[in-house]
Amino acid sequence: MIGLLIFLATIPIFPHIIYVVVAILALFFRHKEVGQTLSANKGFVIGMLLFVVGCLINFLLHSVDQSIVEVPYFVAIPLSVIIAFAMRKRDLRIFLYLLCFEVGVGLYELMNGVQTILPNVTHGDEINLDEDLLYYRTVFGLSVGSNSFAIKLLVGLICVDLLYKDWGYKYILLKIVLIAGLVMSFNRTVIIAYCIYQVVYFCVNPERLPFHRKYRPYLLLAIAAILIGIGIRYRGVIYDSIVNQFTRGYGELDLSSRPLIWSQFITFIDQHLLFGNGSYRLLVPYYSGPIHAHNSFLQLIANNGILLGGFFIILTFSKINKLNWVYVLPLLIYSCTQYGIFWGTSFSDIVFFMFLCKPLLCVKDEEVVGAR
């Protein structure tokens, strides 16, 4: 039920009040898991409560720009933490299967030359199927945009490694489907974050490679030699094609106006260093309308100020350990050029807190993944 409801909350035709319903259900039906995880993370919970109280005081006394209507941090963050504490592996499995269905919807959209089939997502355009650049052929699936679709796919690909410990048919099929979705959504940051994650993951967990340990080094060397040989033989075509796709045809590094957006947020932080935007989400003017920072850390500090924002970053980073750092890494990479974590209440925040506070999920195949 929780996996289904969380998925529905990521679809724009459903209200975000669903997260409140999920939190209530978690406290009512899974109070044991929530209590166990809370007991194992007392320091983190105390720090989180201090942060929430600080946000409430900041919101009441120093609010600067409340140009959008939404749930403030002191309400949104506890919802994500409660849901994260109650998560079970079967919730992730349900989410994965529904995400595969969304990839199917994305394929349908691509074949019909539209970015979205949802009537209330008005910023979707028609797709020119003759366009060579994948950046201009992205689909939204059942999400509000291609970026939202892509971050779900990134988290889904990480969860496949958590849930399926061998290269069975489910593991292979899920990886193929979700990677296909990744290509259709073509978020460059997500693709880079996932590639880095997968390489690091197999380096840290070489036993997960689908080779017998005795032959693994030789097979890896053979694969490396083949890839290097192909790269040398076709280096011009391969390099030019990759560069062309990832630079949107410009041939040089392209950050999609992020330096301009970041400079506006840095200026705001400099002018409101201590209290930020009163713990309310800051948006800055942009040609397409008000826009967020495209950097979770800048956004967090701009929203809450250096004191609360810095405290929250230290608090969350203190929970990264040898069991969960590999799974947290791609979310941190993504969040450097996108607004990935620290939204308040979102699927990426829920999974992020789950990785931080339920590290046994990363090493044991248990139905209930709370700390023991």
Side-chain angles (χ1 to χ4, degrees):
M1 176 64 76
I2 286 182
L4 171 62
L5 290 176
I6 291 176
F7 180 80
L8 293 179
T10 67
I11 302 176
I13 61 175
F14 294 97
H16 281 183
I17 194 70
I18 290 178
Y19 286 120
V20 177
V21 175
V22 174
I24 293 173
L25 290 175
L27 290 173
F28 189 77
F29 291 105
R30 298 187 182 178
H31 54 274
K32 183 178 180 180
E33 290 96 316
V34 174
Q36 289 175 334
T37 311
L38 189 151
S39 297
N41 296 275
K42 290 180 180 177
F44 177 80
V45 172
I46 292 173
M48 186 65 68
L49 290 174
L50 291 174
F51 174 75
V52 169
V53 172
C55 287
L56 175 59
I57 296 172
N58 196 25
F59 178 78
L60 295 175
L61 299 181
H62 301 102
S63 184
V64 177
D65 177 14
Q66 297 181 14
S67 57
I68 54 176
V69 179
E70 61 175 25
V71 178
Y73 260 83
F74 61 86
V75 176
I77 289 293
L79 291 177
S80 288
V81 173
I82 291 170
I83 298 171
F85 281 10
M87 288 291 286
R88 295 177 178 176
K89 282 192 173 181
R90 70 183 177 196
D91 299 318
L92 296 178
R93 289 191 183 98
I94 291 172
F95 191 94
L96 278 179
Y97 298 149
L98 293 170
L99 186 56
C100 287
F101 171 76
E102 184 172 356
V103 172
V105 173
L107 179 60
Y108 175 83
E109 292 168 341
L110 184 62
M111 293 174 63
N112 285 272
V114 296
Q115 287 190 305
T116 181
I117 60 173
L118 298 179
N120 63 328
V121 179
T122 57
H123 57 275
D125 298 319
E126 293 185 357
I127 297 174
N128 180 8
L129 297 179
D130 296 326
E131 172 61 61
D132 293 329
L133 296 177
L134 295 175
Y135 184 89
Y136 298 109
R137 295 174 57 185
T138 59
V139 295
F140 297 176
L142 294 173
S143 302
V144 72
S146 59
N147 290 344
S148 300
F149 187 23
I151 184 60
K152 288 158 66 175
L153 292 164
L154 174 61
V155 174
L157 285 163
I158 298 170
C159 289
V160 171
D161 287 327
L162 288 175
L163 297 173
Y164 302 95
K165 299 301 183 183
D166 57 53
W167 285 65
Y169 74 94
K170 286 186 178 180
Y171 179 91
I172 295 173
L173 283 176
L174 285 169
K175 283 285 188 177
I176 291 174
V177 171
L178 298 183
I179 289 175
L182 212 60
V183 174
M184 288 189 291
S185 65
F186 201 73
N187 181 289
R188 295 170 293 174
T189 307
V190 165
I191 293 174
I192 292 171
Y194 175 66
C195 290
I196 293 174
Y197 156 75
Q198 202 67 85
V199 170
V200 172
Y201 177 81
F202 284 127
C203 288
V204 175
N205 303 283
E207 70 279 0
R208 294 296 311 280
L209 290 167
F211 313 128
H212 191 280
R213 182 175 298 179
K214 179 180 179 180
Y215 304 107
R216 194 175 294 147
Y218 306 105
L219 288 171
L220 288 176
L221 286 174
I223 292 172
I226 292 172
L227 291 176
I228 291 173
I230 293 174
I232 293 174
R233 175 64 180 83
Y234 300 101
R235 61 186 181 278
V237 176
I238 295 175
Y239 177 80
D240 290 344
S241 177
I242 293 175
V243 169
N244 195 50
Q245 291 291 345
F246 276 81
T247 62
R248 300 193 297 174
Y250 294 122
E252 58 185 18
L253 182 63
D254 169 50
L255 295 176
S256 302
S257 301
R258 279 170 176 74
L260 174 62
I261 298 169
W262 292 339
S263 67
Q264 292 186 72
F265 273 85
I266 291 172
T267 300
F268 180 88
I269 291 171
D270 184 56
Q271 296 172 349
H272 306 87
L273 184 61
L274 294 181
F275 305 109
N277 196 45
S279 294
Y280 209 82
R281 182 164 301 140
L282 175 70
L283 300 178
V284 299
Y286 194 61
Y287 75 91
S288 59
I291 195 170
H292 56 69
H294 282 76
N295 181 300
S296 293
F297 306 99
L298 269 181
Q299 186 76 53
L300 179 69
I301 295 175
N303 292 343
N304 301 286
I306 191 67
L307 298 179
L308 284 171
F311 173 77
F312 192 67
I313 291 173
I314 293 172
L315 178 66
T316 53
F317 274 53
S318 70
K319 294 297 297 180
I320 298 176
N321 54 50
K322 63 181 181 181
L323 297 178
N324 59 24
W325 72 270
V326 173
Y327 306 102
V328 171
L329 177 65
L331 293 177
L332 296 179
I333 294 174
Y334 174 81
S335 297
C336 288
T337 59
Q338 297 281 357
Y339 197 179
I341 55 177
F342 305 147
W343 267 100
T345 304
S346 67
F347 174 65
S348 54
D349 279 316
I350 291 169
V351 173
F352 180 65
F353 289 130
M354 182 184 68
F355 288 153
L356 292 180
C357 298
K358 309 186 83 168
L360 290 183
L361 171 68
C362 304
V363 293
K364 291 186 178 181
D365 188 20
E366 299 171 302
E367 179 60 30
V368 177
V369 294
R372 304 299 188 205

